[in-house]
Amino acid sequence: YQITIDPKIKQIRPIILFFVAKNNKVNNFILNQLISMQEDLHNGIARGRKKAAIGLHDLHAIEFPLRYNTRAQNESFIPLDQTRPFKFTEILSDLEVGKKYSSILKNFNQYPTIADSSNQILSFPPIINSSTTKINDKSNNLLIEITGTNLETCKSILAILAYYLYEEDYEIVSGIVNDNN
């Protein structure tokens, strides 16, 4: 499991960490716990997603290797819980989550994305994930990614989530980050 960092992302959100949690079926309890932990961490040590943001994904829908890069404002994808593609600018102006966190990206004309090897956008951090990788009760392998501006905060969040999933009998597999700079 590898991700390559594009140098252009460094001015926006320079840090990405991730791991894979494998071989355990997601049930409603685990999913609710993960979402609750994600929100608590976002609102607490992540400082409203400014220092760090967490993405939870169904690994089955992802083709490795991944790329952490930037995209133009007018590109689009289908955000979580939506049925049609939205341009990045529409996400920030029309969706509640976009309005809430748009200030984090207000000074940029390129936006951070995580895409897989088929160029499918998985995430628009720190705003929203793709509908394509939404976790459900059929998911049994997860990708957990943390992007941010503060390495210690990102490491802490990664450790908390990895430990929780390990305690729930997932196999934890480290991700490899290729940063050629």
Side-chain angles (χ1 to χ4, degrees), residues 47-62:
R47 301 292 185 263
R49 301 188 189 184
K50 288 182 195 94
K51 291 174 98 176
I54 306 157
L56 310 171
H57 306 274
D58 184 338
L59 188 68
H60 179 73
I62 300 169

Side-chain angles (χ1 to χ4, degrees), residues 17 19 32 36 54 65 70-71 79 89 111 129 136 151 170 172:
L17 304 174
F19 68 92
N32 289 335
S36 178
I54 306 157
T70 60
R71 302 267 181 131
T89 52
Y111 294 133
N129 290 333
N136 59 51
L151 182 59
Y170 282 85
I172 305 302

Side-chain angles (χ1 to χ4, degrees), residues 86-147:
F86 282 73
K87 292 179 181 176
F88 292 114
T89 52
E90 292 176 312
I91 292 169
L92 297 174
S93 64
D94 299 351
L95 298 183
E96 255 343 282
V97 70
K99 292 177 195 175
K100 184 173 182 179
Y101 298 108
S102 64
S103 64
I104 299 170
L105 298 174
K106 71 179 179 222
N107 296 323
F108 303 104
N109 58 12
Q110 293 270 313
Y111 294 133
T113 63
I114 300 169
D116 73 2
S117 65
S118 67
N119 209 28
Q120 166 184 252
I121 294 174
L122 312 177
S123 182
F124 170 25
I127 310 299
I128 195 164
N129 290 333
S130 167
S131 183
T132 309
T133 62
K134 182 177 182 173
I135 297 171
N136 59 51
D137 61 3
K138 292 177 181 49
S139 303
N140 62 357
N141 297 315
L142 309 174
L143 168 72
I144 312 296
E145 44 89 357
I146 299 101
T147 64

